[in-house]
Amino acid sequence: MKKPNYTLPIEIEENIKITEPLEVAVGASAVKNSVLSGFSQMDWIKCSKTLLNLNQVKGFDCPSCAWPDPAPGERSSVAEYCENGAKAIAEEGTKERVTPDFFAQHSVAEMNTWSEYKLGKSGRITHPMILREGATHYEPISWADAFQYIGKTLKKLKSPDEAVFYTSGRTGNEAAFLYQLFARQYGTNNLPDCSNMCHETTGKGLTDTIGVGKGTIKLEDLYISDLIIIMGQNPGTNHPRMLTALQKAKRNGAKIIAVNPLEETAFKRFKNPQEVRGYLGTGTNISDLFLQVRINGDLALLKAIMCVLLEMEEVAPGTVFDQTFIKNKTEGIDSLVANLKKQDVRKLSEDCGIPMEEIQQTAEMIRDNKRMIICWAMGITQHENGVAAVQEIVNLLLLKGSIGIPGAGACPVRGHSNVQGDRTMGVWEKIRPGLKKRMEATFDFEIPAEEGYNVVTGIQAMHNNKVRFFMSMGGNLLLAAPDTEYTAKGMRNCDLTVMVSTKPNRNHLVTGKTAIILPCLGRTEIDRQATGEQFVSVENSMSVVHKSEGVLEPASKDLMSEPRIICEMAIATLDEKSKVEWAKMADNYDLIRDKVEACVIGFDNYNERVRKKGGFYLPNGPSEQNFTTPSRKAQFTVNEVTTKKLEKGEFLMTTLRSHDQFNTTIYGNDDRYRGIANGRRVAMMNKADLEANGLKQGDIIDLVGHYNGVKRVAPHFTIVEYKIPTRSIATYFPEANILVPIDQYAKTHTPASKSVVVTIEKQVS
């Protein structure tokens, strides 16, 4: 086979092995993989020290998911982490080093043929590097020269809006606050972040209906809930520590409903490795009911459930809906009821793929349980109708009065460790009026009023030569973003791309005319500044802000912390235009937190409270039924069901993670829970679809995307027969991101990565 000329290397030598999906999540196998991952990359002393301090009160926060920690007295002192958390800190603590000699030995062209797995396993970058225009290799550059080059480039731009400052969710609160402060003082609101690509629809949906774009529950609410509904989420791979909370809920009598196109292992059984019976017993049954919804069928399912509940309420008024809550705390109920009465429930059943008897069973479970929590992730948000789906979740909670009471509420589960904190700190292409006013008063400058670029509009601007400078504070935007080839062209159009990173990734290889890598300290490492050792803080999925303090010696003496990188860059760029005391804040992070306190609501006595065990909760009015909408009442909304109309031969493709990855970081080539090993270019399909199209497991196909007349091709995927709804295909990202159109998104510009229309072309050997 001739290898296509793609930005991403095509792994055509994969030897995919297929076994039956596992029936039990976590258990001894997860412990084994955690330990092996750590000891394969660190010596036993360093590995033990790192794991013992992971997610501990006096340790550091896991750099992967944002699942909250149990209260200080309840968390495990030995293993308060999951398998992927252990893999994340093993990647950061690795003994492998990417030195200037490494870059001298390997050209950019050579490294661009490596897989994401091989790139990630190369090791920690030890020294700032520059790829000069026309050069084939990176070469070392001093920190001073790097900042001077960046500052000179930014000063030469015709407009500050020719610069884009992207942020990943790994960045701590202190760096996030400084980063947006620098960008805005430079003169732009071009602050896209990873939230644009995942939970932006959640933020919009919740803000418009309850007044706050965050969840309304605490971790303890899960323990006492009567009914937990998990939608568009795979906790076993993406948030494994959530399973401990679900287990506790089950033991306390809760029922759990799982809604997803794939029946994931975590929905079946869970063995808790913190218990003896987690090794010896059969584990805990997790879901009481599994609803195998069609891809993007969640909105139709929610509406069908509410139609059935409305019928029950009309038969016995006041016994199903919380009419007192609805009357006193909400608006818009009449419009919602009128819309529900117009629906054809059987058509909704057909649209979502769930039989009427299962919809009836679900409605009965909801009818009988007011302490209800609905959890969701990107399976809900990354669709064109993502905002509507989130608002339909809110409708269901409001009908039951299941919000703002113990054991009930909305639980969007964030993916990255501080993506929620970054937004709280002001990393956003928009700026909240109150934050703008307080920042201008605190720092004595005027912030631009114009909305900046988000991820999608920023990529489009780069593609159209409207952006000359791109900087990424962590992350790997090229692989996280949609439409890989389109995004790559945009990157290459820039004059300078700057990446703050710990390890090599694809964005170091697909660059602007000149590229600079600034290697930073990891979450695990000791941060020493002029005034002593520093800590940072983060915000988890449930609005708890707490400290994180590294325990390992830095991988290199030439690493710099993210807050100092931003401060030094600001000094080199802004000169006398800035009255901000950048140098002092780089030396002492308490000074940063003092400024956060002055600017961001909820951070009173920040330095004092963040030092307390377990940190502190940020204000959240809806968690107490104090809704912060303009009318001070929660809003029912009317959302019409939209479905993808598939022509003959078309399928609806969704992208997802394997069990051996976190976001764009690939830890290995196995998806243990789904029974897939030795490769990632797989297309999971229903047996009936294979038979109807003359295909079988193991065949090699190309996936072809069709949107607005543009043809996109992702070649060489191995078919895996899987229990998935008909006319559906599941693939991994980032391999399939090339098929996600840049111009197919929700009203928030969140890419519709979970519902892409494709056809298949069988390769002829």
Side-chain angles (χ1 to χ4, degrees):
M1 171 188 171
K2 183 178 179 181
K3 201 171 189 179
N5 184 27
Y6 284 90
T7 294
L8 302 185
I10 308 301
E11 297 292 310
I12 63 174
E13 304 301 328
E14 293 181 337
N15 182 22
I16 306 293
K17 302 291 185 184
I18 309 298
T19 57
E20 287 297 315
L22 297 185
E23 295 294 316
V24 180
V26 192
S29 61
V31 175
K32 176 184 175 183
N33 278 275
S34 300
V35 173
L36 289 178
S37 178
F39 288 128
S40 68
Q41 299 184 71
M42 297 182 281
D43 63 60
W44 72 271
I45 295 177
K46 184 177 182 180
C47 181
S48 300
K49 181 178 182 180
T50 308
L51 291 175
L52 288 171
N53 282 277
L54 179 56
N55 292 325
Q56 298 301 322
V57 172
K58 295 184 178 181
F60 57 90
D61 189 62
C62 182
S64 57
C65 86
W67 188 252
D69 300 320
E74 297 179 7
R75 69 183 72 183
S76 168
S77 61
V78 177
E80 190 54 63
Y81 52 85
C82 69
E83 179 180 347
N84 273 358
K87 290 175 181 176
I89 62 99
E91 293 270 312
E92 191 170 288
T94 178
K95 58 181 177 289
E96 301 298 329
R97 298 290 181 265
V98 177
T99 64
D101 287 343
F102 178 98
F103 283 109
Q105 181 180 353
H106 303 290
S107 70
V108 170
E110 177 196 346
M111 287 190 286
N112 220 5
T113 67
W114 298 355
S115 68
E116 306 314 311
Y117 174 72
K118 183 174 180 179
L119 274 175
K121 293 300 181 185
S122 299
R124 291 288 300 278
I125 303 171
T126 63
H127 195 281
M129 305 295 297
I130 185 170
L131 179 68
R132 300 188 187 276
E133 185 172 359
T136 59
H137 292 68
Y138 274 95
E139 61 184 73
I141 184 174
S142 70
W143 280 104
D145 287 347
F147 291 130
Q148 184 181 31
Y149 194 106
I150 294 167
K152 185 182 296 185
T153 300
L154 288 170
K155 290 174 185 177
K156 285 183 178 179
L157 297 184
K158 294 178 182 179
S159 163
D161 288 328
E162 289 188 326
V164 167
F165 299 91
Y166 172 76
T167 316
S168 86
R170 188 203 66 196
T171 304
N173 286 340
E174 292 74 12
F177 182 79
L178 292 176
Y179 196 55
Q180 61 87 33
L181 172 63
F182 164 66
R184 291 188 162 115
Q185 192 159 57
Y186 174 66
T188 186
N189 286 321
N190 290 343
L191 284 158
D193 71 335
C194 58
S195 189
N196 292 152
M197 292 181 285
C198 55
H199 270 292
E200 195 75 57
T201 45
T202 291
K204 172 69 173 172
L206 292 181
T207 299
D208 287 355
T209 53
I210 64 174
V212 173
K214 302 179 181 181
T216 65
I217 73 164
K218 298 180 178 180
L219 181 60
E220 295 75 18
D221 287 316
L222 286 164
Y223 305 158
I224 61 173
S225 180
D226 295 324
L227 177 63
I228 301 170
I229 304 176
I230 304 169
M231 304 189 71
Q233 180 195 359
N234 175 15
T237 288
N238 299 338
H239 314 91
R241 288 198 298 156
M242 181 180 180
L243 294 176
T244 303
L246 295 179
Q247 180 191 55
K248 186 173 290 189
K250 289 287 291 185
R251 289 175 176 173
N252 289 337
K255 300 294 184 182
I256 296 177
I257 300 173
V259 183
N260 205 55
L262 280 69
E263 186 178 16
E264 304 289 9
T265 300
F267 299 153
K268 300 174 185 177
R269 300 185 71 81
F270 164 58
K271 286 188 175 183
N272 190 339
Q274 296 177 358
E275 302 176 340
V276 173
R277 52 182 162 174
Y279 296 88
L280 303 177
T282 58
T284 302
N285 287 322
I286 295 298
S287 62
D288 297 275
L289 178 63
F290 171 61
L291 304 178
Q292 190 165 36
V293 69
R294 285 181 177 159
I295 293 172
N296 198 27
D298 306 271
L299 181 53
L301 172 62
L302 288 162
K303 196 172 287 290
I305 291 169
M306 287 188 287
C307 287
V308 175
L309 288 171
L310 178 59
E311 292 176 0
M312 296 175 177
E313 172 69 10
E314 290 181 330
V315 170
T319 63
V320 180
F321 295 166
D322 188 334
Q323 296 291 356
T324 300
F325 171 84
I326 291 170
K327 179 181 178 181
N328 295 331
K329 296 289 186 177
T330 74
E331 293 178 333
I333 183 62
D334 292 341
S335 296
L336 176 64
V337 169
N339 178 264
L340 292 176
K341 287 185 174 182
K342 292 191 302 184
Q343 302 300 317
D344 180 342
V345 181
R346 297 202 173 274
K347 176 63 166 56
L348 293 172
S349 170
E350 180 182 330
D351 288 342
C352 69
I354 303 300
M356 277 305 305
E357 56 267 27
E358 293 183 8
I359 292 174
Q360 182 72 29
Q361 183 182 356
T362 303
E364 289 171 359
M365 293 173 71
I366 293 172
R367 176 196 62 194
D368 298 334
N369 295 287
K370 182 175 180 177
R371 291 193 302 182
M372 173 177 65
I373 293 172
I374 303 181
C375 308
W376 71 92
M378 270 70 84
I380 293 292
T381 64
Q382 288 183 327
H383 301 281
E384 289 172 279
N385 58 3
V387 174
V390 170
Q391 291 182 333
E392 210 73 349
I393 288 172
V394 175
N395 281 341
L396 180 53
L397 291 170
L398 295 179
L399 287 174
K400 292 291 295 177
S402 299
I403 192 165
I405 62 173
C411 179
V413 184
R414 311 284 176 168
H416 220 321
S417 59
N418 196 42
V419 62
Q420 187 159 302
D422 285 357
R423 183 56 57 85
T424 300
M425 290 296 104
V427 174
W428 196 18
E429 71 275 6
K430 306 172 188 178
I431 184 165
R432 298 181 294 275
L435 177 61
K436 181 178 186 292
K437 181 179 179 180
R438 289 185 293 274
M439 283 182 60
E440 289 176 336
T442 300
F443 296 107
D444 192 21
F445 76 100
E446 186 174 347
I447 294 174
E450 299 79 15
E451 182 176 323
Y453 293 135
N454 56 42
V455 165
V456 166
T457 58
I459 292 170
Q460 290 171 329
M462 287 191 286
H463 194 271
N464 295 324
N465 288 299
K466 294 181 179 180
V467 170
R468 313 310 312 163
F469 174 93
F470 173 82
M471 180 172 179
S472 181
M473 182 59 61
N476 184 0
L477 179 63
L478 176 64
L479 293 198
D483 221 333
T484 312
E485 295 302 313
Y486 184 98
T487 301
K489 184 178 184 297
M491 289 286 181
R492 292 182 176 118
N493 283 342
C494 294
D495 293 328
L496 175 62
T497 49
V498 178
M499 306 292 158
V500 179
S501 307
T502 57
K503 304 183 71 178
N505 67 51
R506 192 66 53 184
N507 252 143
H508 302 149
L509 310 175
V510 179
T511 70
K513 297 176 180 66
T514 300
I516 293 176
I517 302 173
L518 302 178
C520 65
L521 293 172
R523 191 76 65 78
T524 61
E525 293 170 321
I526 299 170
D527 183 352
R528 297 185 179 94
Q529 302 298 335
T531 59
E533 293 184 6
Q534 306 295 314
F535 68 86
V536 298
S537 57
V538 296
E539 178 186 345
N540 65 35
S541 280
M542 296 179 185
S543 301
V544 177
V545 177
H546 60 96
K547 65 184 292 191
S548 174
E549 190 167 9
V551 298
L552 301 180
E553 286 298 319
S556 166
K557 63 180 179 59
D558 291 314
L559 302 184
M560 193 174 284
S561 74
E562 288 178 318
R564 179 163 288 280
I565 287 173
I566 298 163
C567 290
E568 296 290 349
M569 187 172 62
I571 292 168
T573 304
L574 301 176
D575 298 324
E576 70 283 351
K577 296 178 183 178
S578 177
K579 298 179 182 179
V580 177
E581 295 181 319
W582 297 103
K584 290 184 178 179
M585 289 195 291
D587 288 340
N588 185 348
Y589 299 174
D590 278 357
L591 300 180
I592 305 172
R593 288 184 282 270
D594 286 341
K595 298 302 182 184
V596 172
E597 180 179 334
C599 296
V600 184
I601 296 296
F603 285 82
D604 301 335
N605 301 317
Y606 191 3
N607 273 306
E608 177 185 346
R609 290 196 292 160
V610 78
R611 284 174 162 86
K612 294 181 178 179
K613 287 185 177 181
F616 61 93
Y617 280 97
L618 291 176
N620 189 314
S623 68
E624 299 174 344
Q625 295 189 354
N626 296 321
F627 300 106
T628 49
T629 59
S631 68
R632 298 295 165 177
K633 289 190 175 184
Q635 303 295 304
F636 284 105
T637 54
V638 174
N639 305 288
E640 297 302 331
V641 173
T642 55
T643 57
K644 293 282 187 181
K645 301 298 183 183
L646 297 176
E647 303 297 332
K648 183 178 180 180
E650 289 184 338
F651 297 83
L652 199 56
M653 183 195 79
T654 187
T655 62
L656 39 77
R657 292 182 193 170
S658 81
H659 190 64
D660 231 0
Q661 76 178 98
F662 176 74
N663 289 350
T664 58
T665 302
I666 310 301
Y667 300 134
N669 290 317
D670 296 343
D671 194 350
R672 192 172 76 250
Y673 287 176
R674 297 190 183 105
I676 301 170
N678 291 349
R680 295 181 49 81
R681 299 188 74 82
V682 298
M684 289 169 258
M685 298 179 64
N686 186 285
K687 181 179 180 180
D689 289 329
L690 298 184
E691 293 174 348
N693 288 274
L695 299 169
K696 65 181 185 303
Q697 180 164 281
D699 283 349
I700 306 299
I701 59 173
D702 294 344
L703 297 173
V704 183
H706 305 273
Y707 188 78
N708 282 353
V710 178
K711 180 179 180 180
R712 297 170 174 84
V713 181
H716 206 88
F717 280 72
T718 300
I719 292 177
V720 175
E721 182 185 310
Y722 210 83
K723 293 179 180 179
I724 184 173
T726 55
R727 304 198 72 179
S728 303
I729 296 177
T731 56
Y732 300 133
F733 72 83
E735 287 80 3
N737 282 4
I738 191 172
L739 298 170
V740 182
I742 189 68
D743 50 352
Q744 182 185 1
Y745 44 71
K747 64 174 65 175
T748 56
H749 281 97
T750 301
S753 303
K754 295 289 189 280
S755 48
V756 180
V757 176
V758 299
T759 57
I760 58 178
E761 295 178 358
K762 184 178 179 181
Q763 289 190 3
V764 180
S765 56

